[in-house]
Amino acid sequence: MARSDVQLMLDVKAGDEQSIELLLRKYRTPLVNFLCRMVRDSAVAEDLAQEVFLRVYLARKEYAPSAKFTTWMFRIATNLALNSVRDNRNRQMEISMDRAVDIGDDERPAMEVQDLTPTVEQYLIARSRSEMILRAIDALPEKQRAAVLLHKYQELDYDEIARILDCSESALKSLLFRAYETLRTALAPLLNAEKVSSNAPWRM
Amino acid sequence: MGHTERFGKNCAEMEDKLVQYLDGRAKPAERRAVEDHLAVCSGCRNRAEDFRAIFGALDDLPAVSPSPSFDASLRARVAAEADRRTLWGWIPSPRLAFAVAALVAMSVWLASTPRIVNYDSATTRVPAEAEFSMIRDLPVLENYEVISKFDALSELPASPDDTAAGEVKNETSE
Ligand SMILES: [Zn+2]
């Protein structure tokens, strides 16, 4: 019988370092995907994913199975991602403020806020449907983005996601609702186009 | 009757229930509550339809694969970290590790700059006893000055729930 994640981690703790290879093989792709969509940069995402495994490995002696392994791992990943996104944003802000000073008031640099309200023309420019969807995910506030990614791709329970994001389950539900509502607004042109083309009335 | 509710109390309740209903994880009672509401509210029905389409769109996104060098560079990082720890592993505490490092640095300094301590022209080298007392006195230095300046060193390892998780910087967002 396959060992559970918790058992694998307990074996690692007991000195069986090979078991961490199994966890690595199982979770590297989900982790890299999650981090890639959180930080929008595949090189940074890989670096952070390695950092997650490194921290898991270094903390093995103190590991206590008080939570699911995935909760613990994604909590580390989410915190690293949020910190990276915020550091990056602060850097960008400094750069654009410097630029604003250089250029002067009448020629303000394009703010990213524009991405939040894409126009139909921008959609036509976007090369593919996937690109539109990725852009909409990118434009979500980072905690909403993390909630959607954990909810949609990681098959985690609501209580797990809530623990990962450090909020209550009911706060998570409303976070998810707002996130999908934001995506709905951002993707309205796409959704409407597909509604027209499928031409099928919606059924429960 | 097919009347349409304006965004009312029942619509507000959908905020807690709709996503869980659509992903199939709602309990039977909540499920029924959502279905009853959707039957009479075209606004929420539209929203549910759009949310379902968004779920589908997210499913269609291509997955990213880790690069071929991922495992190798991770192993290198783990090995580097393990080496670093083994090197200092025999010293029980970071403070002591610092004291040892200071002691080594001090010995090197003493050995390479004999003239600085050579205030007496009669002696050409630091007497062995003086050198010994420098070393013997180091714990005092460690206790009163080093510790106050290098507390960060003692914050290294901890339990998985705290430091391993890495504190999120104190900043809030949505
Ligand atoms: Zn409604």
Side-chain angles (χ1 to χ4, degrees), chain A residues 28 33 37 46 153 158 204, chain B residues 21 23 58 62 64 67 71:
Chain A
R28 68 189 154 195
N33 271 277
R37 285 177 186 149
E46 290 217 345
Y153 296 109
Y158 280 68
M204 281 306 301
Chain B
Y21 168 77
D23 71 17
L58 293 176
V64 185
S67 66
D71 289 11

Side-chain angles (χ1 to χ4, degrees), chain B:
Chain B
M1 283 308 234
H3 76 282
T4 297
E5 292 185 30
R6 308 286 294 170
F7 195 86
K9 178 177 157 287
N10 291 335
C11 294
E13 273 177 23
M14 291 298 105
E15 185 169 333
D16 277 352
K17 301 193 174 98
L18 187 60
V19 173
Q20 216 170 1
Y21 168 77
L22 293 171
D23 71 17
R25 295 192 231 179
K27 294 188 185 81
E30 301 217 311
R31 219 188 139 70
R32 249 188 323 275
V34 174
E35 282 171 0
D36 287 350
H37 180 71
L38 292 181
V40 297
C41 179
S42 64
C44 287
R45 213 153 54 225
N46 274 331
R47 175 175 291 112
E49 182 184 359
D50 285 348
F51 278 16
R52 255 196 235 277
I54 291 167
F55 286 6
L58 293 176
D59 285 335
D60 292 344
L61 281 185
V64 185
S65 297
S67 66
S69 62
F70 184 85
D71 289 11
S73 55
L74 173 60
R75 281 192 198 101
R77 279 173 80 169
V78 170
E81 193 64 31
D83 281 355
R84 203 175 66 76
R85 302 232 158 183
T86 318
L87 194 64
W88 296 102
W90 60 278
I91 303 167
S93 82
R95 283 174 193 176
L96 189 51
F98 182 83
V100 170
L103 187 132
V104 170
M106 189 76 79
S107 315
V108 170
W109 176 72
L110 285 172
S112 63
T113 59
R115 278 162 199 284
I116 296 177
V117 281
N118 227 359
Y119 47 89
D120 188 349
S121 58
T123 51
T124 51
R125 280 194 52 80
V126 183
E129 312 87 74
E131 197 166 344
F132 174 74
S133 80
M134 277 301 259
I135 293 165
R136 194 195 51 202
D137 290 345
L138 263 174
V140 179
L141 179 73
E142 188 238 321
N143 284 338
Y144 295 106
E145 288 185 30
V146 179
I147 290 175
S148 62
K149 285 175 191 154
F150 290 90
D151 257 2
L153 283 172
S154 62
E155 289 164 11
L156 283 175
S159 73
D161 273 351
D162 327 327
T163 36
E167 291 295 304
V168 180
K169 282 170 195 168
N170 200 12
E171 198 178 321
T172 52
S173 73
E174 276 307 283

Side-chain angles (χ1 to χ4, degrees), chain A residues 60-150:
Chain A
R60 67 196 182 283
K61 301 281 188 216
E62 290 88 28
Y63 177 71
S66 57
K68 278 189 167 181
F69 175 76
T70 42
T71 308
W72 180 42
M73 184 185 67
F74 276 107
R75 199 175 145 87
I76 299 173
T78 303
N79 290 351
L80 288 172
L82 292 177
N83 284 343
S84 166
V85 167
R86 286 163 189 173
D87 284 352
N88 197 42
R89 194 184 36 222
N90 291 342
R91 256 198 311 279
Q92 295 291 326
M93 211 118 83
E94 278 164 26
I95 292 169
S96 69
M97 278 166 78
D98 288 349
R99 214 181 286 153
V101 172
D102 289 347
I103 296 172
D105 272 352
D106 47 357
E107 222 185 316
R108 265 171 261 114
M111 296 301 274
E112 274 193 71
V113 175
Q114 284 183 346
D115 289 345
L116 295 171
T117 53
T119 64
V120 175
E121 292 91 275
Q122 278 172 301
Y123 273 117
L124 292 174
I125 294 164
R127 266 166 295 175
S128 68
R129 183 170 175 269
S130 304
E131 214 166 301
M132 295 177 208
I133 300 161
L134 281 174
R135 281 176 57 130
I137 296 173
D138 282 356
L140 288 175
E142 58 256 19
K143 201 163 175 186
Q144 288 187 19
R145 189 156 75 240
V148 165
L149 296 174
L150 293 168

